[in-house]
Amino acid sequence: MLYSFCATARGPLLVAVDDDGLRHVEFCEGESPQPILPEWRRDDGGLRPYLEQFEAYFSGRLTRFDLPLAARGTPFQMAVWATLREIPYGQTVSYREIAEAIGNPKAVRAVGAANGRNPLSVIVPCHRVIGSGGALTGYAGGLPIKAWLLEHERRVAKMNAG
């Protein structure tokens, strides 16, 4: 596993890649950050193409990533994560809407659990999922980062629309 960091306004973002593609993307100062394992190797140059896309996202120049993803999860988690990637930039949906989209409307809590285990923060936009009443709920990076990401995307979307 190769890794590097992308500087953001909310602290460093860990980006880790293996031969299959992107495996981990997490804010280092989140509530439960991915530890860097002893067998991992830092490779800032090798991860440059990945870092460039994250830098473009955080600067407001990129709204959809084009990187090879290699998340590992159960079939249910993979279905949830695939559905998360369909949430339009700058918009939000509820956990209930995700459960309905995957054809399992009673699985709202399971969707929340899968959302919480998303290993590809930002690129698989779990931050765009909110409570049915519109409240910000759960985010591995912490609610302040979730709120910041949503505001960043709304600001960029508004700027691009006008």
Side-chain angles (χ1 to χ4, degrees):
M1 186 82 65
L2 303 176
Y3 75 94
S4 188
F5 299 97
C6 176
T8 79
R10 301 304 290 185
L13 185 75
L14 169 68
V15 178
V17 176
D18 68 9
D19 291 339
D20 296 327
L22 197 57
R23 288 285 304 276
H24 298 283
V25 177
E26 297 188 28
F27 284 93
C28 297
E29 298 170 9
E31 293 180 1
S32 56
Q34 166 68 42
I36 296 171
L37 302 176
E39 63 270 18
W40 291 17
R41 186 172 55 89
R42 186 163 180 169
D43 185 356
D44 298 331
L47 270 69
R48 193 80 222 127
Y50 292 85
L51 299 176
E52 286 172 352
Q53 285 198 31
F54 284 102
E55 290 164 358
Y57 168 85
F58 287 111
S59 70
R61 295 178 286 118
L62 181 91
T63 60
R64 186 153 179 94
F65 292 89
D66 180 26
L67 295 169
L69 307 183
R72 305 282 195 280
T74 67
F76 180 83
Q77 289 170 331
M78 299 298 283
V80 169
W81 299 338
T83 304
L84 295 178
R85 291 196 32 98
E86 300 305 316
I87 303 169
Y89 181 90
Q91 296 182 28
T92 58
V93 300
S94 70
Y95 293 96
R96 180 169 311 287
E97 289 172 289
I98 297 293
E100 291 169 356
I102 63 169
N104 197 342
K106 294 184 179 185
V108 175
R109 286 182 185 228
V111 164
N115 211 37
R117 289 185 180 87
N118 170 21
L120 300 176
S121 180
V122 181
I123 199 165
V124 175
C126 55
H127 61 277
R128 296 180 191 156
V129 183
I130 59 174
S132 293
L136 294 187
T137 58
Y139 185 67
L143 290 181
I145 291 176
K146 182 174 186 167
W148 182 85
L149 287 168
L150 290 172
E151 179 54 33
H152 167 72
E153 289 185 0
R154 285 184 189 121
R155 186 176 55 252
V156 170
K158 184 177 179 181
M159 198 170 52
N160 289 341

